[in-house]
Amino acid sequence: MTEHELPAGQTNVASGEPLVRMTEVNKHFGDLHVLQDINLDVAKGEVVVVLGPSGSGKSTLCRTINRLETFESGTITIDGEPLPEEGAQLAKLRADVGMVFQSFNLFAHKTILQNVTLGPTKVRKMGKADAEQLAMELLERVGVEKQAQKYPAQLSGGQQQRVAIARSLAMRPKVMLFDEPTSALDPEMINEVLDVMTGLAKEGMTMIVVTHEMGFARRAADRVVFMADGQILEQQRPEDFFANPTSARAKDFLSKIL
Ligand code: ADP
Ligand code: MG
C-alpha cells in the first residue's frame, strides 16, 4: 500500500519519526525576520503548546505549517512529505493539517451541519449521507448536536468554536493546529472549548496549540515551546518550563502572566 492509499486520518509515520518536522525554517516580512532557523519536531500523538509574547511569530509558525504563509529557506514535512507548493496537493495538506483560529471562521450563510459536511464532501469526496452521519457524530462529540440546523450567528462564541473544531476533525486530520482558540471568547465559554481540546489530546490527536491558557498547558501539553522574536528559545516539559524556565525572556514572560 502506498502512502497515497492510506485512509484519511491514518499516518505513515514509523514509530519515533516526527509527524511534523520543521528544519532550519526562515521567513521574513520585509525587514522583519519573523521565523529564525526554526527547528521543531512533533511526534505522532504529541501535544505541543507554543507560548510567547505577542509578536513573537507564533501565528506565523502555525500558518507556515499549513502553507497559509510561504517561507524562504528550510524544510517542513508532514508525515514525511514536504509541503506542496500548490494545486490539489495543497487542498489535501489543508485537510491533513486542521487549523482552528481565534476567530471561528464559520460560513455564515451555511447551517452548522453544512459547515461540517462541506469539507468531507468537497475535498474527501465523501457521499452526502456518510458526511452527515460523520458530522452529527462530531457535533455530538463537541456537544453542539442540537444546533445542527441553526446558523453560526445563532450560536454562542464557545459553541461556534466547538463547531469549528468539529469541522476540522471531519477532515480526519493528521495534526491539528490551534491558534489562540479561546482568546476571543467570554471567560465562561473558555473551558467548554478547552475541555474539547483536552479530550482530543487524551485520545491521541497530534496537536500544536498556541494559547495563553497556562492551565491547559500544564494539564494537556507534553512539551512547551517558548518563542520570542522569531526564535524558539526553550522546549521543555510543562512542569519543567513553569518551575524552571532557563531563558531571561521566558522568566520575564512568566512573571507577567502568572
Ligand atoms: P504572534 O502570533 O506571536 O503574536 P505573529 O506571527 O502574528 O506573532 O507576528 C509576528 C510578527 O510578524 C509581528 O511583528 C507581526 O506584526 C508581523 N506580521 C505578522 N503577519 C504579517 C504580515 N502579513 N505582514 C507583515 N508583518 C506581519
Ligand atoms: Mg498570534
Side-chain angles (χ1 to χ4, degrees), residues 5 32 34 92 200 255:
E5 288 163 336
L32 178 68
V34 61
K92 182 182 175 295
L200 280 179
S255 74

Side-chain angles (χ1 to χ4, degrees), residues 96-112:
D96 284 346
V97 182
M99 184 143 176
V100 174
F101 302 87
Q102 179 174 334
S103 53
F104 328 121
N105 294 358
L106 297 177
F107 298 110
H109 58 288
K110 292 189 187 296
T111 65
I112 297 308

Side-chain angles (χ1 to χ4, degrees), residues 74-134:
T75 53
I76 302 178
T77 59
I78 305 293
D79 208 3
E81 293 184 51
L83 294 193
E85 291 294 321
E86 54 192 10
Q89 285 304 103
L90 198 52
K92 182 182 175 295
L93 171 81
R94 298 262 164 75
D96 284 346
V97 182
M99 184 143 176
V100 174
F101 302 87
Q102 179 174 334
S103 53
F104 328 121
N105 294 358
L106 297 177
F107 298 110
H109 58 288
K110 292 189 187 296
T111 65
I112 297 308
L113 184 65
Q114 288 167 340
N115 264 277
V116 181
T117 56
L118 193 65
T121 52
K122 289 274 189 280
V123 180
R124 296 292 195 202
K125 308 297 178 201
M126 193 183 271
K128 185 165 181 262
D130 286 345
E132 288 187 351
Q133 188 184 343
L134 172 65

Side-chain angles (χ1 to χ4, degrees), residues 27 29 59-60 63-71 94:
K27 175 177 181 62
F29 285 121
S59 294
T60 305
R63 293 169 58 81
T64 304
I65 295 171
N66 208 17
R67 209 116 187 33
L68 293 168
E69 298 281 0
T70 57
F71 53 99
R94 298 262 164 75

Side-chain angles (χ1 to χ4, degrees), residues 16-181:
E17 248 193 70
L19 184 57
V20 178
R21 168 162 273 180
M22 302 180 79
T23 310
E24 297 291 311
V25 172
N26 283 280
K27 175 177 181 62
H28 289 77
F29 285 121
D31 289 341
L32 178 68
H33 197 172
V34 61
L35 296 180
Q36 302 181 25
D37 292 326
I38 297 291
N39 291 297
L40 178 66
D41 283 355
V42 182
K44 186 173 182 322
E46 195 178 14
V47 178
V48 170
V49 166
V50 182
L51 302 178
S54 178
S56 53
K58 306 179 301 295
S59 294
T60 305
L61 179 96
C62 288
R63 293 169 58 81
T64 304
I65 295 171
N66 208 17
R67 209 116 187 33
L68 293 168
E69 298 281 0
T70 57
F71 53 99
E72 293 126 25
S73 66
T75 53
I76 302 178
T77 59
I78 305 293
D79 208 3
E81 293 184 51
L83 294 193
E85 291 294 321
E86 54 192 10
Q89 285 304 103
L90 198 52
K92 182 182 175 295
L93 171 81
R94 298 262 164 75
D96 284 346
V97 182
M99 184 143 176
V100 174
F101 302 87
Q102 179 174 334
S103 53
F104 328 121
N105 294 358
L106 297 177
F107 298 110
H109 58 288
K110 292 189 187 296
T111 65
I112 297 308
L113 184 65
Q114 288 167 340
N115 264 277
V116 181
T117 56
L118 193 65
T121 52
K122 289 274 189 280
V123 180
R124 296 292 195 202
K125 308 297 178 201
M126 193 183 271
K128 185 165 181 262
D130 286 345
E132 288 187 351
Q133 188 184 343
L134 172 65
M136 287 310 299
E137 283 168 19
L138 290 169
L139 289 173
E140 196 171 331
R141 177 165 166 193
V142 301
V144 290
E145 71 279 7
K146 292 197 179 73
Q147 323 296 331
Q149 299 306 329
K150 292 187 181 166
Y151 287 84
Q154 296 173 281
L155 272 59
S156 72
Q159 288 174 325
Q160 288 188 57
Q161 193 60 301
R162 286 182 282 148
V163 173
I165 293 172
R167 182 175 62 171
S168 279
L169 292 176
M171 303 298 269
R172 302 245 185 257
K174 293 175 177 174
V175 51
M176 288 281 289
L177 310 178
F178 293 87
D179 189 3
E180 300 200 26

